[in-house]
């Protein structure tokens, strides 16, 4: 499902060059749930960005679903991101002046589907995360855990094959973190969604099928 070959990512400015990833060779199978661990600055978020086609590698090649993304134009990469990849972030990134269901519908706006179909898919996603009763609430009216569940609904509304989660429980207490982890585990088991989750919580990482460890931009296991 996901394959990285000799991937390197270097960030350059006029004065400094930062090696964020180096020599990454990684395969993640379809339906696998893996976690990524490492100290701050080890390249975890950069790895997710490269897998999710938000950032291009400086060297190496990324394959998604058997397709090399190296020579794809920006428009095609955007289409793959929209249809095959869902993103969950630590800080939710909800739009404050949109209610819950409108936030969840956002990824579908780029698919040119009828509004009624968008609404039906958004409702299904919210039911999946247990928030069907909060569709007309605004983010400010929700707890942190509820906001993260809205973010998960937004990530899965387009039924992506790959879900990339960057510290999805990092801003939550342990109880809310457990709820989010249960939702992710359910998506992996029930929908066979491939999940790559960055986390600092070793307890959560141990519940995934495999742990990928990074240090100074290199894979150490």
């Amino acid at each position: 499902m996901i394959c990285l070959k000799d991937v390197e990512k270097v960030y350059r400015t006029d004065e400094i060059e930062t090696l964020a990833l180096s020599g990454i060779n990684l395969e993640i199978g379809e339906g696998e749930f893996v976690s990524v661990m490492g100290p701050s600055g080890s390249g975890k978020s950069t790895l997710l960005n490269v897998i999710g086609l938000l950032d291009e590698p400086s060297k190496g090649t990324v394959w998604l679903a058997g397709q090399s993304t190296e020579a794809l134009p920006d428009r095609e990469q955007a289409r793959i991101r929209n249809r095959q990849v869902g993103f969950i972030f630590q800080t939710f990134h909800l739009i404050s002046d949109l209610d819950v269901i409108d936030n969840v519908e956002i990824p579908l706006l780029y698919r040119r589907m009828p509004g009624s179909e968008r609404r039906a898919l958004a409702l299904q996603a919210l039911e999946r995360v247990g928030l069907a009763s909060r569709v007309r609430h605004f983010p400010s009216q929700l707890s942190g855990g509820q906001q993260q569940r809205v973010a998960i609904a937004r990530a899965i509304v387009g039924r992506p094959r790959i879900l990339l989660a960057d510290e999805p429980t990092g801003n939550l207490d342990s109880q809310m973190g457990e709820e989010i982890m249960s939702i992710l585990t359910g998506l992996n088991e029930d929908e066979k969604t491939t999940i790559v989750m960055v986390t600092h919580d070793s307890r959560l990482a141990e519940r995934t099928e495999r742990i990928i460890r990074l240090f100074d931009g290199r894979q150490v296991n």
Side-chain angles (χ1 to χ4, degrees):
M1 174 58 71
I2 300 167
C3 181
L4 279 64
K5 292 289 187 182
D6 299 319
V7 164
E8 179 178 291
K9 181 61 184 178
V10 179
Y11 294 104
R12 294 181 176 90
T13 67
D14 292 339
E15 299 179 354
I16 193 169
E17 181 176 286
T18 302
L19 182 63
L21 294 174
S22 178
I24 301 296
N25 290 283
L26 177 64
E27 292 190 15
I28 299 173
E30 184 170 4
E32 212 177 346
F33 189 168
V34 305
S35 52
V36 181
M37 298 194 74
S40 297
S42 61
K44 302 184 299 298
S45 294
T46 301
L47 178 65
L48 284 196
N49 289 343
V50 168
I51 292 173
L53 308 183
L54 292 175
D55 214 344
E56 292 187 7
S58 304
K59 294 181 182 178
T61 310
V62 177
W63 279 266
L64 293 181
Q67 180 180 17
S68 172
T69 63
E70 185 173 15
L72 293 178
D74 291 345
R75 183 185 296 269
E76 180 62 16
Q77 290 197 25
R79 189 191 70 82
I80 291 173
R81 279 196 304 270
N82 181 258
R83 293 183 177 272
Q84 297 210 41
V85 184
F87 296 90
I88 304 169
F89 304 98
Q90 180 177 352
T91 51
F92 318 142
H93 292 308
L94 301 178
I95 298 176
S96 61
D97 57 352
L98 294 181
D99 62 19
V100 163
I101 196 162
D102 285 339
N103 266 283
V104 173
E105 280 189 32
I106 287 173
L108 303 178
L109 296 176
Y110 302 95
R111 297 197 185 183
R112 299 180 180 177
M113 63 174 57
S116 58
E117 186 177 351
R118 291 198 310 268
R119 188 55 48 102
L121 289 173
L123 285 171
Q124 289 175 20
L126 287 165
E127 287 174 1
R128 185 71 177 80
V129 300
L131 283 180
S133 63
R134 298 287 192 273
V135 295
R136 290 304 177 191
H137 285 64
F138 288 85
S140 61
Q141 298 173 303
L142 304 176
S143 68
Q146 288 172 330
Q147 289 185 60
Q148 188 62 294
R149 282 193 275 164
V150 174
I152 293 174
R154 181 184 58 194
I156 66 173
V157 68
R159 297 176 179 170
R161 299 172 66 186
I162 299 168
L163 197 57
L164 305 178
D166 195 353
E167 290 282 0
T169 65
N171 283 339
L172 306 175
D173 62 33
S174 59
Q175 181 179 347
M176 289 296 100
E178 282 293 327
E179 290 186 12
I180 297 305
M181 189 63 183
S182 294
I183 291 172
L184 295 178
T185 301
L187 288 167
N188 174 250
E189 294 176 349
D190 301 338
E191 311 293 337
K192 308 306 179 187
T193 305
T194 303
I195 302 178
V196 184
M197 178 183 70
V198 166
T199 183
H200 281 104
D201 191 329
S202 59
R203 297 171 305 153
L204 299 183
E206 288 168 359
R207 290 165 58 181
T208 66
E209 297 173 52
R210 180 159 53 110
I211 301 175
I212 299 163
R213 299 185 187 275
L214 298 181
F215 187 81
D216 287 346
R218 298 181 180 273
Q219 190 174 345
V220 294
N221 66 330

